[in-house]
Amino acid sequence: IEAHADVANHYSSRQQWAEAEALLTPLLQRWETLDLPLNSHFANDLVQYGYALMGLGRHAEAQRALERSLALRKEIFTAPHDRIANSHSALGMLAIQQGDFEASIAHRRASLSMRESLFVDPHPLLVITRVQLGGSYLAARKFDAARTQAERAASNCAMPGFSHPYCTQTD
């Protein structure tokens, strides 16, 4: 099962959503048919499935998968935890695609709050999450809040020795 998940992750990294979904649908079904424990691997596979469904424009199905991953991760891990933050981030991306900017802001703020309690600046996940949250604020036309997040990310990117691909989005 996990070998198939690795291949699906490869397809997802190349935005080959149909191929990823074609592997993940039977994989998740097999997992439950075999009555395997719903653990962190299953939650990770749900997130990948949610991204594949998003890429295919199947937002309602993606919402169910991502909400299930968030609920499962909240059962498995004690907050704050980066896996919980990751599920919030994925739900924030989906909300943007659905035009629900307030939900996107709420999920991405939850993700940033957790990550700020886990990591110290500069950290790549803080830069990524601030850029994403800034995008949500921008979509909601909350320009001052968007600028604040961009400036925080940019200040991390300006630190000596720190480099990350997202830093080009803070200019």
Side-chain angles (χ1 to χ4, degrees):
I1 288 174
E2 284 309 303
H4 282 98
D6 289 343
V7 174
N9 189 35
H10 169 77
Y11 284 130
S12 292
S13 71
R14 297 176 176 278
Q15 297 184 350
Q16 294 175 294
W17 306 121
E19 293 84 350
E21 186 271 341
L23 285 171
L24 289 165
T25 297
L27 177 151
L28 293 168
Q29 291 170 347
R30 206 169 337 154
W31 195 295
E32 293 187 286
T33 300
L34 294 173
D35 200 27
L36 298 173
L38 302 182
N39 59 19
S40 62
H41 295 287
F42 184 79
N44 294 344
D45 295 343
L46 281 171
V47 171
Q48 286 303 313
Y49 186 56
Y51 279 121
L53 294 169
M54 260 191 273
L56 294 171
R58 293 163 50 189
H59 294 146
E61 293 171 85
Q63 181 92 27
R64 286 190 294 276
L66 294 174
E67 285 177 352
R68 188 171 182 203
S69 79
L70 177 61
L72 184 56
R73 284 175 166 175
K74 284 181 174 180
E75 289 177 23
I76 295 169
F77 303 110
T78 302
H81 196 281
D82 190 54
R83 290 295 177 182
I84 298 171
N86 175 265
S87 286
H88 276 295
S89 181
L91 281 160
M93 177 184 286
L94 176 62
I96 280 278
Q97 289 184 8
Q98 294 172 314
D100 188 348
F101 307 131
E102 293 305 319
S104 180
I105 290 167
H107 281 296
R108 287 177 167 174
R109 285 179 68 189
S111 180
L112 181 59
S113 176
M114 282 191 196
R115 287 178 169 161
E116 285 179 331
S117 68
L118 295 168
F119 306 111
V120 176
D121 283 324
H123 193 281
L125 289 173
L126 293 175
V127 170
I128 291 168
T129 308
R130 287 180 180 131
V131 169
Q132 291 171 342
L133 177 56
S136 296
Y137 281 129
L138 190 61
R141 304 186 58 77
K142 296 182 178 187
F143 302 119
D144 289 339
R147 182 180 301 109
T148 298
Q149 293 306 317
E151 287 171 353
R152 288 284 310 274
S155 71
N156 282 180
C157 291
M159 291 183 148
F162 185 81
S163 176
H164 191 274
Y166 266 64
C167 288
T168 61
Q169 296 182 32
T170 64
D171 294 337

